[in-house]
Amino acid sequence: MIEEFFERLEKLKKQHRLILQRDNEPVEENNGVYERYRFPVLTAQHTPLFWRYDLNPETNPYLAERFGINAVLNAGAIKWNGKYILMPRVEGLDRKSFFAIAESPNGIDHFTFWDYPVVMPETEEPDTNVYDIRLVQHEDGWIYGLFCTERKDPAAPPGDESSAVAQCGIARTKNLIDWERLPDLVTSSAQQRNVVLHPEFVNGQYAFYTRPQDSFIEAGKGGGIGFGLAASIEKAVILEEAIVDRKVYHTVYELKNGQGPAPLKTKYGWLHLAHGVRNTAAGLRYTLYMFMTDLNDLTKVIHKPAGYFLAPEGSERIGDVSNVAFCNGWIADDDGTVFIYYASSDTRMHVATTTIERLLDYVLNTPEDGFRSAAQVQTLIGIIQKNMLIGKETLIS
């Protein structure tokens, strides 16, 4: 039995090393805006063997999994001490999620988890589940993590074990190891998800992107990406939310939408990456889209390309919740390179790379949505006519 134990252990270690040491490579086809990569950057198989297995042959003679990992998804991201840091939602087989830290030397492969998961302190009202953290280095000197804290709905009728209340949890750190939990964000909305902290003060206050909604799942009448200010972060209270980016009928963000990571500051405005949801005959479809807000008035959208920026493709469309692309973390390097970390189908993490200049070109020059088929046809005719001036034969020969 001991010999079989160690034979199996060696096989597991070899498989794990292959995954961790695997070089990533961009796929050949791209849209000119970003490059996708062949392999996911984080999966359940990336988690350490000493998380999933009791490695003592006396207490685990069959080397069976004792703590199974179902998925690694929806990671916050930050560049810290020269490393590319992801803080994903790690979901166990028991449906409980927790946070962990994985780091890479280059941002596209060789991500390795730190030995221990994040110990996130609780408030007086314990979290049942925590997930989808947004990391931001604020100008006040702290690294903040804003995440969804989920608790059972106390108003749920007897026998209803699926109704929940979602709110925004807030924590901060100086080293990504020791976290100080602050009180949950207070707003007038019944529930909050996808809340993001703006990296700079606005009029001396902390600024938040919110997603007010009527219930745990449905955005209801309160849908859209909101914006609000709080005088303090230690006890954050938003008295008024203004909707920055609304849901719109027959678009990729018709059912609900939410801010992804914190926006990136450019000379033209703030670049935003968000997710939009629409309903289909096959269920909900999550895609990513972009827009830009004014440098000084963060509630004013000044550019917004039509349609989605990134959608799940191929095997990305298959998973626990299929047909989903979701992003809550990106990293902009000093040289202008941008690493976009997105999850596919609530199962695994990927990276796409681009540059600030390419994102600016996309947001500033891609046509906006006319919101009617006839208007979109006129947009297309305009593009065709412009190209015809160059000469069709020149373009296609």
Short mmCIF file of all heavy atoms in Angstrom, two decimals, residues 207-262:
data_model
loop_
_atom_site.label_atom_id
_atom_site.label_comp_id
_atom_site.label_asym_id
_atom_site.label_seq_id
_atom_site.Cartn_x
_atom_site.Cartn_y
_atom_site.Cartn_z
N ALA A 207 -14.53 57.44 -3.81
CA ALA A 207 -15.50 57.28 -4.89
C ALA A 207 -15.70 55.80 -5.20
O ALA A 207 -14.73 55.03 -5.27
CB ALA A 207 -15.05 58.03 -6.13
N PHE A 208 -16.94 55.41 -5.40
CA PHE A 208 -17.28 54.01 -5.64
C PHE A 208 -18.12 53.88 -6.92
O PHE A 208 -19.01 54.69 -7.16
CB PHE A 208 -18.11 53.44 -4.48
CG PHE A 208 -17.41 53.38 -3.16
CD1 PHE A 208 -17.34 54.51 -2.34
CD2 PHE A 208 -16.81 52.21 -2.72
CE1 PHE A 208 -16.70 54.45 -1.12
CE2 PHE A 208 -16.17 52.15 -1.49
CZ PHE A 208 -16.10 53.27 -0.69
N TYR A 209 -17.82 52.83 -7.68
CA TYR A 209 -18.72 52.39 -8.73
C TYR A 209 -19.57 51.27 -8.14
O TYR A 209 -19.04 50.32 -7.56
CB TYR A 209 -17.94 51.89 -9.95
CG TYR A 209 -17.04 52.96 -10.53
CD1 TYR A 209 -15.70 53.04 -10.16
CD2 TYR A 209 -17.55 53.91 -11.42
CE1 TYR A 209 -14.88 54.03 -10.67
CE2 TYR A 209 -16.73 54.90 -11.94
CZ TYR A 209 -15.39 54.96 -11.55
OH TYR A 209 -14.58 55.95 -12.05
N THR A 210 -20.87 51.38 -8.27
CA THR A 210 -21.78 50.44 -7.63
C THR A 210 -22.63 49.74 -8.68
O THR A 210 -22.59 50.07 -9.86
CB THR A 210 -22.70 51.17 -6.63
OG1 THR A 210 -23.53 52.09 -7.34
CG2 THR A 210 -21.88 51.93 -5.59
N ARG A 211 -23.40 48.76 -8.24
CA ARG A 211 -24.40 48.14 -9.11
C ARG A 211 -25.65 47.89 -8.26
O ARG A 211 -25.86 46.79 -7.74
CB ARG A 211 -23.88 46.83 -9.70
CG ARG A 211 -24.47 46.51 -11.09
CD ARG A 211 -25.80 45.79 -11.04
NE ARG A 211 -25.66 44.45 -10.52
CZ ARG A 211 -25.17 43.40 -11.23
NH1 ARG A 211 -24.77 43.56 -12.46
NH2 ARG A 211 -25.10 42.22 -10.67
N PRO A 212 -26.47 48.93 -8.07
CA PRO A 212 -27.68 48.75 -7.26
C PRO A 212 -28.62 47.75 -7.93
O PRO A 212 -28.79 47.76 -9.14
CB PRO A 212 -28.29 50.16 -7.24
CG PRO A 212 -27.75 50.84 -8.46
CD PRO A 212 -26.37 50.27 -8.65
N GLN A 213 -29.21 46.90 -7.10
CA GLN A 213 -30.16 45.94 -7.65
C GLN A 213 -31.23 45.62 -6.62
O GLN A 213 -31.03 45.78 -5.41
CB GLN A 213 -29.46 44.67 -8.13
CG GLN A 213 -28.61 43.94 -7.11
CD GLN A 213 -27.83 42.81 -7.78
OE1 GLN A 213 -26.90 43.04 -8.52
NE2 GLN A 213 -28.26 41.59 -7.50
N ASP A 214 -32.36 45.14 -7.14
CA ASP A 214 -33.53 44.92 -6.29
C ASP A 214 -33.47 43.60 -5.54
O ASP A 214 -34.05 43.47 -4.46
CB ASP A 214 -34.80 44.97 -7.14
CG ASP A 214 -35.02 46.35 -7.75
OD1 ASP A 214 -34.43 47.32 -7.25
OD2 ASP A 214 -35.78 46.45 -8.74
N SER A 215 -32.81 42.60 -6.14
CA SER A 215 -32.76 41.30 -5.50
C SER A 215 -31.39 40.67 -5.76
O SER A 215 -30.54 41.26 -6.44
CB SER A 215 -33.87 40.38 -6.02
OG SER A 215 -33.65 40.06 -7.38
N PHE A 216 -31.19 39.48 -5.24
CA PHE A 216 -29.88 38.84 -5.34
C PHE A 216 -29.48 38.57 -6.79
O PHE A 216 -28.33 38.76 -7.18
CB PHE A 216 -29.90 37.51 -4.56
CG PHE A 216 -28.59 36.79 -4.57
CD1 PHE A 216 -27.47 37.32 -3.96
CD2 PHE A 216 -28.46 35.55 -5.18
CE1 PHE A 216 -26.25 36.66 -3.98
CE2 PHE A 216 -27.26 34.87 -5.20
CZ PHE A 216 -26.15 35.43 -4.59
N ILE A 217 -30.42 38.15 -7.62
CA ILE A 217 -30.14 37.82 -9.01
C ILE A 217 -30.53 38.95 -9.95
O ILE A 217 -29.75 39.36 -10.82
CB ILE A 217 -30.86 36.51 -9.42
CG1 ILE A 217 -30.35 35.35 -8.55
CG2 ILE A 217 -30.63 36.22 -10.90
CD1 ILE A 217 -28.88 35.03 -8.72
N GLU A 218 -31.74 39.46 -9.80
CA GLU A 218 -32.27 40.44 -10.75
C GLU A 218 -31.85 41.85 -10.38
O GLU A 218 -31.95 42.27 -9.23
CB GLU A 218 -33.81 40.35 -10.78
CG GLU A 218 -34.33 38.99 -11.19
CD GLU A 218 -33.91 38.59 -12.59
OE1 GLU A 218 -33.72 39.49 -13.43
OE2 GLU A 218 -33.78 37.38 -12.85
N ALA A 219 -31.38 42.59 -11.39
CA ALA A 219 -31.05 44.00 -11.17
C ALA A 219 -32.32 44.80 -10.96
O ALA A 219 -32.35 45.76 -10.18
CB ALA A 219 -30.26 44.55 -12.35
N GLY A 220 -33.39 44.44 -11.68
CA GLY A 220 -34.65 45.13 -11.53
C GLY A 220 -34.57 46.57 -12.01
O GLY A 220 -33.79 46.91 -12.89
N LYS A 221 -35.35 47.44 -11.42
CA LYS A 221 -35.40 48.84 -11.86
C LYS A 221 -34.11 49.59 -11.52
O LYS A 221 -33.84 50.66 -12.06
CB LYS A 221 -36.58 49.54 -11.22
CG LYS A 221 -36.49 49.69 -9.69
CD LYS A 221 -37.72 50.38 -9.12
CE LYS A 221 -37.62 50.62 -7.62
NZ LYS A 221 -37.50 49.39 -6.86
N GLY A 222 -33.30 49.03 -10.63
CA GLY A 222 -32.09 49.72 -10.20
C GLY A 222 -30.86 49.40 -11.01
O GLY A 222 -29.76 49.72 -10.61
N GLY A 223 -31.03 48.75 -12.15
CA GLY A 223 -29.87 48.28 -12.89
C GLY A 223 -29.02 49.37 -13.48
O GLY A 223 -29.46 50.50 -13.70
N GLY A 224 -27.77 49.04 -13.73
CA GLY A 224 -26.82 49.97 -14.30
C GLY A 224 -25.61 50.13 -13.41
O GLY A 224 -25.62 49.74 -12.24
N ILE A 225 -24.54 50.70 -13.97
CA ILE A 225 -23.35 51.00 -13.19
C ILE A 225 -23.55 52.34 -12.51
O ILE A 225 -23.74 53.36 -13.18
CB ILE A 225 -22.10 51.02 -14.09
CG1 ILE A 225 -21.87 49.64 -14.70
CG2 ILE A 225 -20.87 51.45 -13.28
CD1 ILE A 225 -20.75 49.59 -15.72
N GLY A 226 -23.54 52.34 -11.20
CA GLY A 226 -23.76 53.55 -10.44
C GLY A 226 -22.46 54.18 -9.98
O GLY A 226 -21.37 53.63 -10.14
N PHE A 227 -22.58 55.35 -9.39
CA PHE A 227 -21.42 56.08 -8.87
C PHE A 227 -21.86 56.85 -7.63
O PHE A 227 -22.93 57.47 -7.61
CB PHE A 227 -20.89 57.05 -9.92
CG PHE A 227 -19.67 57.84 -9.48
CD1 PHE A 227 -18.41 57.27 -9.55
CD2 PHE A 227 -19.80 59.13 -8.98
CE1 PHE A 227 -17.29 57.99 -9.14
CE2 PHE A 227 -18.70 59.85 -8.57
CZ PHE A 227 -17.43 59.28 -8.65
N GLY A 228 -21.03 56.78 -6.59
CA GLY A 228 -21.36 57.50 -5.36
C GLY A 228 -20.12 57.82 -4.57
O GLY A 228 -19.05 57.22 -4.76
N LEU A 229 -20.25 58.77 -3.66
CA LEU A 229 -19.14 59.24 -2.84
C LEU A 229 -19.40 58.94 -1.37
O LEU A 229 -20.55 58.97 -0.91
CB LEU A 229 -18.93 60.74 -3.02
CG LEU A 229 -18.62 61.23 -4.45
CD1 LEU A 229 -18.54 62.75 -4.48
CD2 LEU A 229 -17.32 60.62 -4.95
N ALA A 230 -18.32 58.65 -0.65
CA ALA A 230 -18.40 58.43 0.79
C ALA A 230 -17.30 59.24 1.46
O ALA A 230 -16.15 59.26 1.00
CB ALA A 230 -18.24 56.95 1.12
N ALA A 231 -17.64 59.91 2.54
CA ALA A 231 -16.68 60.77 3.22
C ALA A 231 -15.58 59.98 3.91
O ALA A 231 -14.45 60.44 4.07
CB ALA A 231 -17.41 61.65 4.23
N SER A 232 -15.91 58.75 4.31
CA SER A 232 -14.96 57.91 5.04
C SER A 232 -14.94 56.52 4.45
O SER A 232 -15.94 56.03 3.93
CB SER A 232 -15.36 57.84 6.52
OG SER A 232 -14.63 56.84 7.21
N ILE A 233 -13.78 55.86 4.52
CA ILE A 233 -13.68 54.47 4.11
C ILE A 233 -13.84 53.56 5.32
O ILE A 233 -14.23 52.40 5.19
CB ILE A 233 -12.34 54.18 3.39
CG1 ILE A 233 -12.39 52.84 2.65
CG2 ILE A 233 -11.18 54.23 4.37
CD1 ILE A 233 -13.21 52.84 1.42
N GLU A 234 -13.52 54.07 6.52
CA GLU A 234 -13.65 53.25 7.72
C GLU A 234 -15.10 52.92 8.04
O GLU A 234 -15.39 51.90 8.66
CB GLU A 234 -13.00 53.95 8.93
CG GLU A 234 -11.49 53.85 8.98
CD GLU A 234 -10.82 54.87 8.06
OE1 GLU A 234 -11.55 55.78 7.55
OE2 GLU A 234 -9.60 54.78 7.85
N LYS A 235 -16.01 53.79 7.63
CA LYS A 235 -17.43 53.51 7.75
C LYS A 235 -18.09 54.13 6.53
O LYS A 235 -18.69 55.20 6.58
CB LYS A 235 -18.00 54.10 9.05
CG LYS A 235 -19.40 53.60 9.36
CD LYS A 235 -19.87 54.08 10.71
CE LYS A 235 -21.26 53.53 11.03
NZ LYS A 235 -21.75 54.00 12.35
N ALA A 236 -17.98 53.43 5.41
CA ALA A 236 -18.37 53.99 4.11
C ALA A 236 -19.88 53.99 3.95
O ALA A 236 -20.52 52.95 4.01
CB ALA A 236 -17.72 53.20 2.98
N VAL A 237 -20.43 55.18 3.71
CA VAL A 237 -21.85 55.35 3.49
C VAL A 237 -22.04 56.21 2.25
O VAL A 237 -21.49 57.32 2.17
CB VAL A 237 -22.55 56.02 4.69
CG1 VAL A 237 -24.04 56.22 4.40
CG2 VAL A 237 -22.36 55.19 5.96
N ILE A 238 -22.78 55.69 1.27
CA ILE A 238 -23.12 56.45 0.06
C ILE A 238 -24.57 56.89 0.19
O ILE A 238 -25.48 56.06 0.26
CB ILE A 238 -22.92 55.60 -1.21
CG1 ILE A 238 -21.44 55.25 -1.39
CG2 ILE A 238 -23.45 56.34 -2.43
CD1 ILE A 238 -21.17 54.34 -2.57
N LEU A 239 -24.78 58.20 0.23
CA LEU A 239 -26.13 58.72 0.39
C LEU A 239 -26.87 58.83 -0.93
O LEU A 239 -28.10 58.78 -0.95
CB LEU A 239 -26.06 60.10 1.08
CG LEU A 239 -25.45 60.12 2.48
CD1 LEU A 239 -25.39 61.54 3.01
CD2 LEU A 239 -26.23 59.23 3.42
N GLU A 240 -26.13 58.98 -2.03
CA GLU A 240 -26.78 59.15 -3.32
C GLU A 240 -25.98 58.44 -4.40
O GLU A 240 -24.76 58.60 -4.49
CB GLU A 240 -26.89 60.64 -3.65
CG GLU A 240 -27.62 60.94 -4.95
CD GLU A 240 -27.74 62.42 -5.23
OE1 GLU A 240 -27.37 63.23 -4.34
OE2 GLU A 240 -28.19 62.78 -6.33
N GLU A 241 -26.65 57.63 -5.20
CA GLU A 241 -26.04 56.94 -6.32
C GLU A 241 -26.57 57.52 -7.63
O GLU A 241 -27.77 57.64 -7.83
CB GLU A 241 -26.36 55.44 -6.29
CG GLU A 241 -25.70 54.68 -5.16
CD GLU A 241 -26.17 53.24 -5.13
OE1 GLU A 241 -27.19 52.97 -4.47
OE2 GLU A 241 -25.52 52.39 -5.78
N ALA A 242 -25.64 57.88 -8.52
CA ALA A 242 -26.01 58.34 -9.86
C ALA A 242 -25.67 57.22 -10.84
O ALA A 242 -24.58 56.62 -10.75
CB ALA A 242 -25.26 59.61 -10.22
N ILE A 243 -26.56 56.91 -11.76
CA ILE A 243 -26.30 55.87 -12.74
C ILE A 243 -25.43 56.44 -13.86
O ILE A 243 -25.81 57.40 -14.53
CB ILE A 243 -27.61 55.29 -13.31
CG1 ILE A 243 -28.41 54.63 -12.19
CG2 ILE A 243 -27.30 54.26 -14.40
CD1 ILE A 243 -27.71 53.48 -11.49
N VAL A 244 -24.26 55.84 -14.04
CA VAL A 244 -23.31 56.27 -15.06
C VAL A 244 -23.60 55.60 -16.40
O VAL A 244 -23.58 56.23 -17.45
CB VAL A 244 -21.87 55.95 -14.61
CG1 VAL A 244 -20.87 56.25 -15.71
CG2 VAL A 244 -21.52 56.71 -13.34
N ASP A 245 -23.85 54.30 -16.36
CA ASP A 245 -24.03 53.51 -17.57
C ASP A 245 -25.24 52.60 -17.39
O ASP A 245 -25.20 51.65 -16.61
CB ASP A 245 -22.77 52.70 -17.86
CG ASP A 245 -22.79 52.06 -19.23
OD1 ASP A 245 -23.09 52.77 -20.20
OD2 ASP A 245 -22.51 50.85 -19.34
N ARG A 246 -26.31 52.90 -18.10
CA ARG A 246 -27.57 52.20 -17.90
C ARG A 246 -27.69 50.94 -18.75
O ARG A 246 -27.02 50.79 -19.76
CB ARG A 246 -28.73 53.14 -18.26
CG ARG A 246 -28.85 54.34 -17.36
CD ARG A 246 -30.09 55.16 -17.67
NE ARG A 246 -30.20 56.30 -16.77
CZ ARG A 246 -30.72 56.23 -15.55
NH1 ARG A 246 -31.18 55.07 -15.11
NH2 ARG A 246 -30.77 57.30 -14.78
N LYS A 247 -28.61 50.09 -18.33
CA LYS A 247 -29.05 48.98 -19.17
C LYS A 247 -29.80 49.57 -20.37
O LYS A 247 -30.48 50.59 -20.24
CB LYS A 247 -29.99 48.05 -18.41
CG LYS A 247 -29.42 47.43 -17.15
CD LYS A 247 -30.44 46.53 -16.48
CE LYS A 247 -31.69 47.30 -16.07
NZ LYS A 247 -32.71 46.41 -15.47
N VAL A 248 -29.69 48.90 -21.52
CA VAL A 248 -30.38 49.37 -22.72
C VAL A 248 -30.97 48.16 -23.43
O VAL A 248 -30.29 47.14 -23.64
CB VAL A 248 -29.43 50.13 -23.67
CG1 VAL A 248 -30.19 50.59 -24.92
CG2 VAL A 248 -28.81 51.34 -22.96
N TYR A 249 -32.20 48.30 -23.86
CA TYR A 249 -32.90 47.24 -24.57
C TYR A 249 -32.14 46.78 -25.82
O TYR A 249 -31.59 47.57 -26.57
CB TYR A 249 -34.30 47.73 -24.97
CG TYR A 249 -35.02 46.84 -25.96
CD1 TYR A 249 -35.50 45.59 -25.58
CD2 TYR A 249 -35.19 47.25 -27.28
CE1 TYR A 249 -36.16 44.77 -26.49
CE2 TYR A 249 -35.86 46.44 -28.20
CZ TYR A 249 -36.33 45.20 -27.80
OH TYR A 249 -36.97 44.40 -28.70
N HIS A 250 -32.12 45.49 -26.04
CA HIS A 250 -31.54 44.84 -27.21
C HIS A 250 -30.06 45.21 -27.42
O HIS A 250 -29.63 45.57 -28.52
CB HIS A 250 -32.34 45.15 -28.48
CG HIS A 250 -32.34 44.00 -29.45
ND1 HIS A 250 -33.19 42.93 -29.34
CD2 HIS A 250 -31.54 43.74 -30.51
CE1 HIS A 250 -32.95 42.07 -30.31
NE2 HIS A 250 -31.93 42.53 -31.03
N THR A 251 -29.32 45.13 -26.34
CA THR A 251 -27.86 45.31 -26.38
C THR A 251 -27.23 44.17 -25.61
O THR A 251 -27.92 43.33 -25.05
CB THR A 251 -27.43 46.64 -25.74
OG1 THR A 251 -27.78 46.62 -24.34
CG2 THR A 251 -28.11 47.83 -26.42
N VAL A 252 -25.91 44.15 -25.55
CA VAL A 252 -25.21 43.11 -24.77
C VAL A 252 -25.31 43.39 -23.27
O VAL A 252 -24.91 42.56 -22.46
CB VAL A 252 -23.73 42.99 -25.19
CG1 VAL A 252 -23.62 42.55 -26.64
CG2 VAL A 252 -22.97 44.28 -24.94
N TYR A 253 -25.84 44.54 -22.90
CA TYR A 253 -26.02 44.89 -21.49
C TYR A 253 -27.48 45.25 -21.21
O TYR A 253 -27.78 46.20 -20.49
CB TYR A 253 -25.09 46.06 -21.10
CG TYR A 253 -25.01 47.16 -22.14
CD1 TYR A 253 -25.91 48.21 -22.15
CD2 TYR A 253 -24.02 47.14 -23.12
CE1 TYR A 253 -25.84 49.21 -23.11
CE2 TYR A 253 -23.93 48.13 -24.08
CZ TYR A 253 -24.86 49.16 -24.07
OH TYR A 253 -24.78 50.15 -25.03
N GLU A 254 -28.39 44.45 -21.78
CA GLU A 254 -29.81 44.76 -21.64
C GLU A 254 -30.40 44.25 -20.32
O GLU A 254 -31.34 44.84 -19.78
CB GLU A 254 -30.60 44.18 -22.80
CG GLU A 254 -30.64 42.66 -22.84
CD GLU A 254 -31.43 42.12 -24.04
OE1 GLU A 254 -31.84 42.94 -24.88
OE2 GLU A 254 -31.61 40.89 -24.11
N LEU A 255 -29.86 43.17 -19.79
CA LEU A 255 -30.44 42.58 -18.59
C LEU A 255 -29.81 43.16 -17.33
O LEU A 255 -30.48 43.51 -16.37
CB LEU A 255 -30.27 41.06 -18.62
CG LEU A 255 -30.98 40.28 -17.52
CD1 LEU A 255 -32.49 40.44 -17.66
CD2 LEU A 255 -30.60 38.80 -17.57
N LYS A 256 -28.49 43.26 -17.34
CA LYS A 256 -27.75 43.90 -16.25
C LYS A 256 -26.33 44.13 -16.71
O LYS A 256 -25.85 43.54 -17.69
CB LYS A 256 -27.79 43.06 -14.96
CG LYS A 256 -27.38 41.61 -15.08
CD LYS A 256 -27.62 40.89 -13.76
CE LYS A 256 -27.34 39.39 -13.90
NZ LYS A 256 -27.60 38.66 -12.64
N ASN A 257 -25.64 45.00 -15.99
CA ASN A 257 -24.25 45.30 -16.30
C ASN A 257 -23.55 45.72 -15.01
O ASN A 257 -24.19 46.12 -14.03
CB ASN A 257 -24.13 46.39 -17.37
CG ASN A 257 -24.89 47.67 -17.03
OD1 ASN A 257 -25.82 47.66 -16.22
ND2 ASN A 257 -24.52 48.77 -17.64
N GLY A 258 -22.23 45.61 -15.02
CA GLY A 258 -21.47 45.94 -13.82
C GLY A 258 -20.05 46.31 -14.16
O GLY A 258 -19.47 45.81 -15.13
N GLN A 259 -19.47 47.18 -13.34
CA GLN A 259 -18.08 47.57 -13.50
C GLN A 259 -17.17 46.37 -13.30
O GLN A 259 -17.44 45.50 -12.46
CB GLN A 259 -17.73 48.67 -12.48
CG GLN A 259 -16.31 49.17 -12.53
CD GLN A 259 -16.06 50.14 -13.68
OE1 GLN A 259 -16.98 50.70 -14.23
NE2 GLN A 259 -14.81 50.33 -14.03
N GLY A 260 -16.12 46.28 -14.10
CA GLY A 260 -15.15 45.21 -13.94
C GLY A 260 -14.09 45.62 -12.92
O GLY A 260 -14.38 45.76 -11.74
N PRO A 261 -12.84 45.84 -13.35
CA PRO A 261 -11.83 46.36 -12.44
C PRO A 261 -11.93 47.88 -12.35
O PRO A 261 -12.76 48.51 -13.03
CB PRO A 261 -10.52 45.93 -13.11
CG PRO A 261 -10.86 45.87 -14.58
CD PRO A 261 -12.30 45.45 -14.66
N ALA A 262 -11.09 48.49 -11.51
CA ALA A 262 -11.04 49.95 -11.44
C ALA A 262 -10.56 50.50 -12.78
O ALA A 262 -9.76 49.87 -13.48
CB ALA A 262 -10.09 50.38 -10.33
#
